Amino acid sequence: MCRYARKTYKSHYVCFKCRKSFKQPDAYDIIKRIEKEKVYHEPGGKTIRKVGYVFTKAETKELEKIVSDLENRIIKCPECSSVMADLGKDFKAPKKTAVKEWKIVESLFKTGKCFHSCGCDGIGYIPKNPKDYEVYLNNILKTYQEYLAACQDTPIEECPEKTEEIKYWSGNIQKIKTEIIDNKFEIM
């Protein structure tokens, strides 16, 4: 069973500038708390059964606005006011003094790697030093290139979204190549 299904966990937001991580509740958890306060219970002999939520039309519209505001909110660093990156519930921040690890995490974020999962599989592999990171990026690049080649070889009849998939894999390949160049690594 998924670890996050039973208990409320907060997502980790990161400021790469300050090398700090702060937890923030997800919009879903905040909405559940609001709904919990509005539950209608009906007495039924020895037990009280939960009937449902009681919201007026005005409250429903207000709830929809709250949901929209929460889902589109921007979390800023309390120290430097920079916009923070949502790295998910599984992220574990390196020590503030571990500058190389923070650079790797920031670079991973730029390539699209986040730590959002159901909690079953953990966060996956995170390189700890630049050499491992270079190997990691080159392996990802090779995998993405294989996906792109497979997509290009697939007939359009079998894959109606072929054009979108080619754009997707090409974009991912470009992100990885940019990170390899920015980190002064070699493309293997």
Side-chain angles (χ1 to χ4, degrees), residues 39-85:
V39 173
Y40 171 65
H41 292 86
E42 183 177 273
K46 293 182 179 180
T47 60
I48 298 175
R49 63 187 190 103
K50 181 174 155 182
V51 176
Y53 303 109
V54 181
F55 288 101
T56 64
K57 285 183 182 179
E59 288 173 329
T60 302
K61 284 190 179 199
E62 185 180 331
L63 185 64
E64 288 170 0
K65 184 186 179 318
I66 290 170
V67 168
S68 175
D69 291 347
L70 287 172
E71 288 175 346
N72 298 315
R73 68 188 169 161
I74 295 172
I75 307 292
K76 292 191 176 186
C77 176
E79 219 168 271
C80 70
S81 297
S82 296
V83 175
M84 298 181 77

Side-chain angles (χ1 to χ4, degrees), residues 110-153:
K110 287 179 187 175
T111 63
K113 171 92 171 155
C114 289
F115 306 95
H116 297 281
S117 76
C118 65
C120 294
D121 298 330
I123 61 171
Y125 174 69
I126 301 175
K128 295 290 181 197
N129 59 55
K131 187 63 186 160
D132 290 346
Y133 188 50
E134 181 178 11
V135 171
Y136 173 82
L137 284 176
N138 277 295
N139 287 340
I140 295 293
L141 179 62
K142 183 180 174 188
T143 302
Y144 288 177
Q145 288 170 336
E146 288 170 1
Y147 290 157
L148 177 62
C151 184
Q152 289 170 333
D153 292 343

